[in-house]
Amino acid sequence: MMRKNNVLRKYIASLLLFLLFETVAITLWKAKGNLFYLLNFSYIGRCLALGTALFTAGKRYA
């Protein structure tokens, strides 16, 4: 159990980055009423989170 917890702990930064962008996306979408904000910030957040997670995992071309 302890090993699994340590493995997931190193991906917290990627998860927080994703959640930050999702929060901005939803806030701007609701405030401005424009779906573009939701799609754009969600896309950017997913790409950054995936990139940082792959880099953390030691993938060569992340």
Side-chain angles (χ1 to χ4, degrees):
M1 182 69 176
M2 194 67 158
R3 177 170 153 67
K4 186 176 182 181
N5 196 13
N6 287 337
V7 171
L8 294 177
R9 181 170 283 172
K10 66 181 182 178
Y11 296 109
I12 289 177
S14 297
L15 179 63
L16 290 176
L17 188 62
F18 174 71
L19 292 175
L20 173 71
F21 272 85
E22 283 300 307
T23 302
V24 170
I26 292 170
T27 303
L28 285 173
W29 171 49
K30 290 295 188 180
K32 301 289 186 178
N34 191 348
L35 186 62
F36 171 76
Y37 291 113
L38 180 65
L39 299 175
N40 191 44
F41 280 95
S42 293
Y43 173 75
I44 294 169
R46 279 193 310 267
C47 290
L48 286 174
L50 179 63
T52 56
L54 289 172
F55 183 78
T56 302
K59 299 299 179 187
R60 186 171 182 174
Y61 296 109

